[in-house]
Amino acid sequence: TQLLEQSPQFLSIQEGENLTVYCNSSSVFSSLQWYRQEPGEGPVLLVTVVTGGEVKKLKRLTFQFGDARKDSSLHITAAQPGDTGLYLCAGVFKRSNYKLTFGKGTLLTVNP
Amino acid sequence: NAGVTQTPKFRILKIGQSMTLQCTQDMNHNYMYWYRQDPGMGLKLIYYSVGAGITDKGEVPNGYNVSRSTTEDFPLRLELAAPSQTSVYFCASSYPEDSASKQFFGPGTRLTVL
């Protein structure tokens, strides 16, 4: 069983602060995705990273894929209340037939 | 496009009852998935399908059944509901062009078994 660990599990910060969320595995990912989920809704894809060392930016969100493709991070600059939600990382492992393995998620609360 | 739609949104079942969770997608995606999400546990794959007539078990298939007679529909059947099946169920679909396939999720069905 391939496991994917996310940390921290909970994060409560003030508006304007920066934060980083981590996603780690002992296995190599073919690709890794970050999703955001709001209460009562399904997850929505934010980004997909495929190449080791890859960095992608989405406005104030920066996503990084580790060189060895075993870990990833999501950094949010100047967090806003609208960033509140559950952030999920999900990895595609080799020979998994495109199945995603999800982490348990980081529940982020940004207080005004 | 409506994307992925799921019905019902909410349902309460008694132990031993049966029900079918409906899922439909209008994006002509080959791959479809059923997940369950429990508090603090992320999403667990129940069953998936790579095309009409083809289904396979995921990580937690016990107590569930699926069928895929068309590209659009992928219903999930609970035969004998148990309290352990209380959860939020998500259906998703994707068109895997490569290993970085993007999954589109429905809004979920919140099921309570009493």
Side-chain angles (χ1 to χ4, degrees):
Chain A
T1 301
Q2 288 145 331
L3 295 175
L4 204 152
E5 308 242 345
Q6 264 188 265
S7 62
Q9 190 174 357
F10 300 98
L11 193 53
S12 181
I13 61 172
Q14 293 301 121
E15 183 176 0
E17 291 183 359
N18 301 331
L19 67 113
T20 303
V21 174
Y22 300 93
C23 179
N24 296 284
S25 174
S26 58
S27 301
V28 174
F29 300 110
S30 295
S31 66
L32 188 135
Q33 301 176 7
W34 285 93
Y35 289 81
R36 182 168 152 232
Q37 184 179 19
E38 297 194 20
E41 298 182 9
V44 176
L45 181 69
L46 295 173
V47 77
T48 300
V49 286
V50 179
T51 307
E54 185 175 4
V55 176
K56 284 192 173 180
K57 294 195 174 186
L58 187 66
K59 296 183 181 177
R60 293 176 293 100
L61 279 61
T62 302
F63 304 86
Q64 189 156 5
F65 202 16
D67 292 339
R69 292 174 26 228
K70 291 185 177 183
D71 59 276
S72 180
S73 64
L74 158 60
H75 182 80
I76 301 179
T77 303
Q80 298 177 0
D83 295 327
T84 294
L86 179 67
Y87 289 83
L88 295 158
C89 67
V92 177
F93 294 99
K94 289 185 178 182
R95 293 184 292 277
S96 69
N97 201 20
Y98 303 122
K99 290 182 290 184
L100 285 174
T101 297
F102 280 84
K104 293 183 179 181
T106 294
L107 186 58
L108 171 66
T109 303
V110 182
N111 302 297
Chain B
N1 286 350
V4 180
T5 56
Q6 290 182 240
T7 57
K9 277 191 170 296
F10 305 92
R11 184 72 186 268
I12 298 175
L13 284 181
K14 293 182 180 179
I15 294 172
Q17 285 186 320
S18 301
M19 78 164 293
T20 299
L21 282 68
Q22 301 292 346
C23 174
T24 300
Q25 55 93 8
D26 62 0
M27 296 173 283
N28 202 33
H29 285 167
N30 293 334
Y31 282 49
M32 295 187 75
Y33 313 82
W34 273 106
Y35 296 91
R36 60 176 288 171
Q37 186 176 35
D38 301 310
M41 296 301 293
L43 283 89
K44 301 285 188 184
L45 183 65
I46 306 171
Y47 270 96
Y48 69 102
S49 168
V50 301
I54 307 170
T55 63
D56 206 350
K57 295 177 181 179
E59 189 179 354
V60 290
N62 291 344
Y64 308 95
N65 276 301
V66 293
S67 59
R68 183 96 181 269
S69 57
T70 67
T71 299
E72 295 78 18
D73 301 306
F74 190 39
L76 177 71
R77 178 84 178 159
L78 283 70
E79 289 295 349
L80 291 170
S84 61
Q85 293 177 305
T86 293
S87 189
V88 182
Y89 291 84
F90 289 100
C91 178
S93 71
S94 70
Y95 185 76
E97 299 168 9
D98 51 37
S99 65
S101 67
K102 173 180 178 178
Q103 292 195 13
F104 294 81
F105 285 81
T109 294
R110 185 176 294 274
L111 175 66
T112 302
V113 182
L114 301 174

